[in-house]
Amino acid sequence: MLTQGTKYNILPFFNTSEIKNYAKTMKDLIIPFGGSEILLIIPFTAKNKKSPKIAFFTIMFIGLFYILIVESSIMILGINNAILMNDAFIEAIKITEAPVIERMDLFYLTFGLSNLISGLISIFSAIVEFTCKIFPKIKRYFIVLTIAIILFVTCLFSLNVQYLDELYSEFAIYLVLISSFLIPMTIFILAKLKKRA
């Protein structure tokens, strides 16, 4: 997409007259780029001293990757077409010609779905591990089965909820603030108090 797109479509890279709009979008961008899911997966302990650095660079890399996707999509479609389309990235991939792969959109969707599934597996595994630590007397297979049923029912329920994206965007900012700031700060304060005691 970068090689076949038009560079003129993404110029200027930064428009000073749009600073107010950039500031307004920060509220929406803090949800996907909050990095709260990293708190579930990476163990921040004394034995794993590199984990904060890895978490930081992981989030930075994901952010740069999203910028690459957005800019290359606009290079192919143009800003006006990108705004009008429901999924500009898929449409841009359809136009892009690849010498080996005929349908780039199908190639992307295959990896996109595997990404979604791997994300669900990561969250599922983290919930199972935490629950096993909280309830050590309950057998593991029972915890796995119970959580799987709860997640499956939750997914089915969410499919039937109208305007779920709008509802999520209203509450997600609070979830990100709690998981990214409140919980780490609480754990930090408790650790300091425990050390002094």
Side-chain angles (χ1 to χ4, degrees), residues 33 62-72:
F33 297 120
I62 292 167
L64 290 170
F65 186 65
Y66 275 118
I67 290 167
L68 178 70
I69 288 171
V70 171
E71 294 295 332
S72 59

Side-chain angles (χ1 to χ4, degrees), residues 161-174:
V161 176
Q162 286 186 335
Y163 310 112
L164 185 66
D165 292 340
E166 292 174 16
L167 189 70
Y168 175 74
S169 63
E170 285 180 19
F171 291 101
I173 190 164
Y174 301 110

Side-chain angles (χ1 to χ4, degrees), residues 9-171:
N9 288 337
I10 58 170
L11 295 175
F13 290 117
F14 184 79
N15 193 348
T16 51
S17 63
E18 295 287 327
I19 290 172
K20 286 183 180 178
N21 292 330
Y22 296 146
K24 286 177 184 176
T25 56
M26 291 302 290
K27 186 175 72 70
D28 297 326
L29 292 174
I30 200 168
I31 297 163
F33 297 120
S36 56
E37 64 280 357
I38 295 215
L39 294 171
L40 291 171
I41 299 159
I42 299 177
F44 292 91
T45 61
K47 292 178 182 177
N48 193 5
K49 291 179 181 177
K50 291 183 179 179
S51 59
K53 193 185 288 183
I54 292 166
F56 174 77
F57 283 113
T58 302
I59 294 169
M60 288 297 291
F61 176 77
I62 292 167
L64 290 170
F65 186 65
Y66 275 118
I67 290 167
L68 178 70
I69 288 171
V70 171
E71 294 295 332
S72 59
S73 298
I74 293 169
M75 282 176 72
I76 295 287
L77 300 171
I79 189 70
N80 293 326
N81 291 329
I83 290 168
L84 291 172
M85 289 176 181
N86 197 21
D87 198 330
F89 184 47
I90 300 287
E91 295 300 325
I93 282 179
K94 284 180 185 176
I95 297 168
T96 309
E97 293 179 5
V100 180
I101 304 156
E102 288 184 13
R103 291 288 303 272
M104 281 293 288
D105 54 332
L106 291 176
F107 180 73
Y108 164 72
L109 284 169
T110 306
F111 281 91
L113 289 172
S114 67
N115 178 33
L116 177 66
I117 292 162
S118 64
L120 284 170
I121 289 168
S122 299
I123 292 167
F124 178 75
S125 301
I127 293 168
V128 167
E129 290 303 319
F130 281 122
T131 310
C132 287
K133 286 179 182 178
I134 294 167
F135 305 105
K137 292 181 180 178
I138 300 172
K139 293 191 176 182
R140 191 179 183 86
Y141 72 86
F142 181 76
I143 290 171
V144 171
L145 189 66
T146 306
I147 291 169
I149 291 166
I150 291 167
L151 282 175
F152 182 70
V153 170
T154 306
C155 288
L156 287 177
F157 174 75
S158 64
L159 288 171
N160 294 321
V161 176
Q162 286 186 335
Y163 310 112
L164 185 66
D165 292 340
E166 292 174 16
L167 189 70
Y168 175 74
S169 63
E170 285 180 19
F171 291 101

